[in-house]
Amino acid sequence: RNWEHCTHLPDQLAAQRKEIDAVLEPFLLSPETLREVKNKMRTELEYGLKRETQGSATVKMLPTYVCGTPDGTEKGKFLALDLGGTNFRVLLVKIRSGRRKSVRMYNKIFAIPLEIMQGTGEELFDHIVHCIADFLEYMGIKGARLPLGFTFSFPCKQASIDKGTLVGWTKGFKATDCEGEDVVDMLREAIKRRNEFDLDIVAVVNDTVGTMMTCGYEDPNCEIGLIAGTGSNVCYMEDMKNIEIVEGNEGKMCINTEWGGFGDNGCIDNIRTEYDKEVDEGSLNPGKQRYEKMTSGMYLGEIVRQILIDLTKRGLLFRGQISESLRKRGIFETKFLSQIESDRLALLQVRQILQQLGLDSTCEDSIIVKEVCGAVSRRAAQLCGAGLAAIVEKKRENRGVEHLQITVGVDGTLYKLHPHFSRVLQETVKELAPWCDVTFMLSEDGSGKGAALITAVAKRLRNIDKYLYAMRLSDETLIDIMARFRREMKNGLSRDFNPTATVKMLPTFVRSIPDGSEKGDFIALDLGGSYFRILRVKVSHEKKQTVQMESEIYNTPEDIMHGSGTRLFDHVAECLGDFMEKQQIKDKKLPVGFTFSFPCRQSKLDEGVLITWTKRFKASGVEGADVVKLLNRAIKKRGDYDADIMAVVNDTVGTMMTCGFDDQRCEVGLIIGTGTNACYMEEMRHIDLVEGDEGRMCINTEWGAFGDDGSLEDIRTEFDREIDRGSLNPGKQLFEKMVSGLYMGELVRLILVKMAKEGLLFEGRITPELLTKGKFETKHVSAIEKSKEGLSKAKDILTRLGVEPSHEDCVAVQHVCTIVSFRSANLVAATLGAILCQLRDNKGVGRLRTTVGVDGSLYKMHPQYARRLHKTTRRLVPDSDVRFLLSESGSGKGAAMVTAVAYRLADPLLLAALRGQRKGRGLRRRCFSPATV
């Protein structure tokens, strides 16, 4: 580059320096320009991950459905195919795990003639199968049905790990009738046509993914794969929560960036030269893969040739004579760049290389050619480095760390053979991503080994997933469940069909949510689980409305839950007396709201006839009785205080009213805890069970019984049926048993026992603790699914169950927990989506804006549940703006708010006369009593 100091050059050539500099100047990229490229790449990465922009993104960010790197437990025999260039490789890979962990490979390389590369798709895949048959014959394994991993190094869209639809050919391939087709299906069809052997095609992967997996087997810190050879590409492990185009939020998935298309939208036109444009126009795919054409080995030699032609035309090379050989496209291969740029190569040897190419050169020509090669290859390495810096910076941000340590697995002839490419690339990454400590690991065994490792991982997960497959619900299935639940809602609201409806759609006689003007002193009771809560709620209205609450929690022992109804309500009355004494209000007769979280039929607000017990309650003599009368009787029997029970409400109604106090748009209440249920404000004109058409009334859906008529049999699993058989109420509350916290831990336990019996977990060992019902609790599911400490929690929990889990076992158990809890969130989202659609249609609006009040331990305590529910709901009902509002004060406050609303809507002087009156018995429709708040 210090041209003027080259003493062996004639002085007259120094005057031509400016012209040569002008030609090569666009290839010299400043740090500012490289940072700009990095930032643009980062923007394109984000576009490719987002559902709305992925279709038009140039960096496609294709999901690979590879969700983990090897952990060293993989073992077995696998066949691997590697197609990505003019050579096709078939491998037999034997993987051994344990202390003597090893990988042995046997392979054979076959040529892909140009006429096959650019012929028909059927000819290409018939040729591939012919090569496989040759290899199987050579290895003597033609009769074995081995699992196969297919490294297919072209852009593919995948819907699963064993399906890959070709987006477009690259690297000189142009076989017809392939683009838009599933290459795995084409391979299977070709195998059938030959009819000599059969193979179990488990996975199709890109060469970058194969490279990452190969290096990941040696270094668990490897989460990026880079190919710098004939083509150029990168893959990396992305957090699922950032991948909008794939369902699910948990864990990671490898993304094949297909970054070769970066710049196809013109975003890097400012650094493309006239020579880049010439190469692009003469390629098989003009206007596409522009970044790859500036960085990959397939095109660098051609860029050099274009520059040499231009310099020759200017009289700066080869005495101004353009030889026939220089006019030939492809004559200057990239391997010549590597040879010419070698520090060990003397100018005389460079001249000999040029002469071999038919270029009659001088020593001075050799120096210029060497400089041109250096400028082109250095730019390629810097551009690769800028793109890679964008990836590692994204990884650092994903992990939320100041300093990232990560390994990049690398393969490709350009990186391996060029004397300076790897150094320049690494220096660029270090300069542009200074907070990232990046180790580059060369893949010695190629991407074929990686395909075998992916196949090993996928085969193991496939064995696990056969138990979980039925729990993976597609959006299509969830939309169908929405439609089924909507039909059940309609049946429940109908006078004709309600008696046989499973979703009872019970009127609550709550006609309004709080409007901010309520005031008074109230008692609230909250009975719905093993704990019973009593609250004193003071609602004042001075400068602004405020709520003061004092509460006490009382235990409800198992023997009372399963004893007589008299004992249960005597216990409630005793707790209420204790609370009133502590509050020093035994002499007052305060209005009471009773949250009773079990299915009740109501004909007025202060009456609730229990339909059936749920949540492990079995107190006798209560089903079919009015719980308000039972409580009043227990209070009267004590005789030491009095209470005015004005309202009995469900916990879902209480939750809606609690949240409605803070957000008057709240018109849905949702409980996802020990049990599950929902309520919502329905138009009176749709409620056949209650007289009148004006206004709205809150409907308690009691959706836990959805499916009791068999309508969910197609999605129930063997584990759901086992849970039901062992429950206190077989055949009832089937939906609740699939989604609620009372059953989730037990569902996971049953799956783990089954997998252990099959030898898929714990090396087939089953402990007495693991066989004990109730030992695996839902709180364990929540702990295991925590993002940072989940695996260590899994190990602790399993150890307490007497199991000595391997890392692989912990990963599998976490996977099971994720699938079970994810199914729960998806099913709740589907039923909630049906309610939201009903509200939208009732209002006759194109887009619904509403708030859902939520309570329940599963929603509150599970680390991922709420986010999954929100995301799935918004995906299923896209024409809605839904706010989820957590009930901080529980449903007890809601019972007090229902009572407060009753006082607001009714004339206090008429309370005694109006209480108990049904609408239609002497009451005008516009006059609301406590019986119809």
Side-chain angles (χ1 to χ4, degrees), residues 446-485:
S447 54
K449 173 182 171 182
L453 288 165
I454 291 170
T455 304
V457 172
K459 190 167 175 59
R460 185 183 74 228
L461 291 175
R462 191 167 68 176
N463 288 334
I464 292 172
D465 275 354
K466 71 181 179 182
Y467 297 105
L468 305 174
Y469 178 78
M471 290 189 172
R472 294 178 181 273
L473 304 176
S474 67
D475 278 3
E476 184 180 7
T477 300
L478 294 175
I479 289 168
D480 182 46
I481 292 168
M482 282 175 61
R484 296 183 209 180
F485 187 70

Side-chain angles (χ1 to χ4, degrees), residues 83-102:
L83 176 67
T86 54
N87 290 326
F88 169 60
R89 195 157 64 123
V90 186
L91 307 91
L92 176 65
V93 183
K94 296 181 180 179
I95 305 173
R96 177 183 289 178
S97 62
R99 292 180 182 176
R100 301 175 66 187
K101 184 178 86 169
S102 65

Side-chain angles (χ1 to χ4, degrees), residues 242-315:
N242 296 330
I243 311 172
E244 293 185 4
I245 49 180
V246 175
E247 293 178 30
N249 292 318
E250 306 315 312
K252 299 178 182 179
M253 180 183 287
C254 181
I255 289 292
N256 167 22
T257 67
E258 287 298 339
W259 76 0
F262 175 48
D264 287 1
N265 59 357
C267 69
I268 56 172
D269 279 358
N270 61 310
I271 61 169
R272 289 179 74 222
T273 68
E274 59 182 289
Y275 312 108
D276 297 310
K277 294 170 184 175
E278 187 73 30
V279 168
D280 178 40
E281 289 168 6
S283 68
L284 290 171
N285 54 351
K288 296 181 180 180
Q289 300 295 107
R290 291 180 178 179
Y291 183 68
E292 184 172 68
K293 288 169 184 172
M294 298 170 76
T295 59
S296 74
M298 185 168 187
Y299 300 97
L300 298 189
E302 186 59 17
I303 294 172
V304 168
R305 187 181 74 88
Q306 293 294 339
I307 297 171
L308 298 185
I309 289 174
D310 186 33
L311 291 175
T312 305
K313 286 179 179 178
R314 296 168 184 253

